[in-house]
Amino acid sequence: MYTETEKKELFIFTIVAYGAPYLMGLLLWYAWAKELSVSAFASTQMLYPAAGVCLAFLITRRGDKQVPRVFYISYLVVTVAMLVTTIFTVLIPGQMMTLPGGMQVSIWLLVNQYGLIVGNLICLVCYFVSGKKRRIAYGMKWRNWKPSLFCLGLFLFLYMARLVLACAMQGEMEIVAEILKQSDTWLILASLPLSFLLSFIAFFGEEYGWRYYLQPLLQKKFGLRGGVLVLGLVWGLWHLPLDFFFYVTPDKGVIQTTAQIITCVSLGIFLAYVYGKTQNIWVPVVIHFLNNNLAVVFSQEQTEQALQNQEVTWAMIPIALLLNGLFFGIFLLSRQFQRKESVEEPET
């Protein structure tokens, strides 16, 4: 089914995309047990899938002049830097800095957070330095404006409709209205474009790995629909360390993992639909960014910490299955997954 080159690339990708988060998961477990900050783990983990693609292509396609080497190398350097600083937040937690207002934070946590911003700017420069032809050849160029903007608008509509229905089912409509009345909500919404510019490589990290690289390979083996469903499962299990020691406490890890798989399968279907319709990897990247950040905006805390130590129960699983299936999973029935022609592979 796969060529020898594809097998080699898939092996390298798997080692990086899965090996790194699971090995770091052991350190995450240790940090949680020692009650240390674990906030650096999630954003760093998001970089691994694309890093696996970059490394695989740099090794196996050395003779291809269209490979965007400058961007790939810069992305790998940023990933390694984020990985190292994440390790230091656990191994050297005592180095603290006092911020204005008296708040103390780990120096290495600050280095990690600001390192992501600097890394974004470096990768952005290298992205354009790579040139238009290389960006087109390896699926990184923005294209198809009209369907792209349509899909972004469609996601926002579906996201808000799901939120409203979920609140209505729980009799909490006043919560949405109250959040929308707060000035902080609109300030955060207004800052999202800048926030995306300063953090896009994390979301690119997942989507370039899952949607651009792995999805066509899985569809080649399991079919248009089957490949997307398998990818959703693979994507959900990839979150396993975070599901047990970041999003919730370990005693609720199984519940969170179940909810995560439901989310990744259903949202993965919609992202596959969007990517197939636009052939623009940046649309899934932006949607992924919006999905994560709108969850913060519409939480009552409105901080990134809202994603940590969430409250989950088994009673929430049927509701999540119903809502996510109704608004996102239903796209599996779309014409996008009924095409008979062969699945497109990553451009080369």
Side-chain angles (χ1 to χ4, degrees):
M1 180 64 73
Y2 298 142
T3 66
E4 289 302 315
T5 299
E6 287 175 333
K7 290 178 181 178
K8 186 175 182 180
E9 289 172 350
L10 185 57
F11 175 76
I12 297 170
F13 170 80
T14 303
I15 290 297
V16 176
Y18 260 86
Y22 273 70
L23 285 175
M24 288 292 286
L26 298 175
L27 188 63
L28 176 58
W29 180 13
Y30 171 83
W32 177 86
K34 294 295 184 179
E35 299 184 348
L36 302 174
S37 173
V38 296
S39 58
F41 283 84
S43 56
T44 301
Q45 181 166 323
M46 295 176 73
L47 300 172
Y48 300 148
V53 179
C54 294
L55 185 62
F57 286 173
L58 285 172
I59 291 175
T60 63
R61 305 186 183 188
R62 283 172 289 185
D64 184 0
K65 294 182 180 180
Q66 295 301 316
V67 173
R69 288 181 176 80
V70 174
F71 176 78
Y72 279 1
I73 291 172
S74 67
Y75 188 91
L76 287 171
V77 170
V78 171
T79 301
V80 171
M82 291 289 290
L83 175 65
V84 171
T85 54
T86 299
I87 293 173
F88 283 175
T89 62
V90 177
L91 298 186
I92 317 177
Q95 296 186 3
M96 308 296 289
M97 175 180 290
T98 302
L99 298 178
M103 179 180 177
Q104 285 196 327
V105 297
S106 165
I107 292 177
W108 288 111
L109 181 58
L110 284 178
V111 171
N112 180 270
Q113 293 175 340
Y114 284 105
L116 181 63
I117 296 174
V118 174
N120 268 272
L121 298 177
I122 292 173
C123 287
L124 185 62
V125 171
C126 293
Y127 171 81
F128 287 107
V129 168
S130 295
K132 181 179 178 180
K133 290 184 178 180
R134 291 187 178 88
R135 294 198 300 271
I136 292 175
Y138 279 81
M140 296 192 300
K141 186 181 182 300
W142 179 280
R143 60 175 70 182
N144 300 326
W145 276 95
K146 288 184 178 180
S148 296
L149 292 177
F150 168 78
C151 288
L152 289 174
L154 177 61
F155 170 75
L156 289 174
F157 171 78
L158 292 173
Y159 186 96
M160 293 304 300
R162 183 187 61 171
L163 176 65
V164 169
L165 181 57
C167 291
M169 291 173 64
Q170 298 175 34
E172 299 177 345
M173 282 297 297
E174 68 280 358
I175 293 179
V176 177
E178 184 62 31
I179 290 174
L180 290 175
K181 290 179 182 178
Q182 298 175 13
S183 58
D184 287 350
T185 299
W186 295 101
L187 288 174
I188 295 174
L189 289 173
S191 69
L192 287 182
L194 177 60
S195 178
F196 177 75
L197 181 64
L198 299 178
S199 64
F200 77 89
I201 59 171
F203 303 94
F204 173 85
E206 287 202 49
E207 293 308 313
Y208 196 66
W210 304 133
R211 240 59 60 187
Y212 170 75
Y213 174 73
L214 190 57
Q215 179 179 298
L217 290 179
L218 293 178
Q219 287 181 316
K220 183 178 179 180
K221 184 176 180 64
F222 298 104
L224 291 174
R225 288 194 177 97
V228 171
L229 294 176
V230 172
L231 176 58
L233 178 62
V234 167
W235 186 21
L237 293 175
W238 174 81
H239 290 88
L240 198 62
L242 298 175
D243 286 337
F244 274 79
F245 303 108
F246 179 79
Y247 296 121
V248 299
T249 50
D251 58 306
K252 298 177 181 177
V254 175
I255 305 175
Q256 176 61 23
T257 300
T258 304
Q260 190 75 258
I261 291 174
I262 292 172
T263 299
C264 289
V265 171
S266 56
L267 186 59
I269 290 170
F270 180 72
L271 291 172
Y273 164 80
V274 165
Y275 185 48
K277 191 174 183 66
T278 64
Q279 289 300 298
N280 182 353
I281 194 60
W282 292 105
V283 180
V285 171
V286 174
I287 288 176
H288 196 151
F289 167 81
L290 290 173
N291 183 72
N292 287 25
N293 283 270
L294 288 177
V296 175
V297 171
F298 288 102
S299 70
Q300 291 180 290
E301 292 185 21
Q302 293 191 349
T303 64
E304 291 185 358
Q305 281 67 39
L307 299 177
Q308 292 183 240
N309 300 320
Q310 301 175 41
E311 289 296 326
V312 294
T313 64
W314 282 113
M316 299 167 63
I317 298 301
I319 298 176
L321 185 61
L322 173 64
L323 293 176
N324 284 286
L326 178 62
F327 287 97
F328 296 124
I330 196 170
F331 282 87
L332 194 64
L333 304 177
S334 69
R335 292 182 180 180
Q336 191 63 45
F337 301 104
Q338 295 175 358
R339 294 179 293 109
K340 295 182 180 180
E341 62 264 28
S342 60
V343 178
E344 291 186 15
E345 296 182 34
E347 299 173 70
T348 58

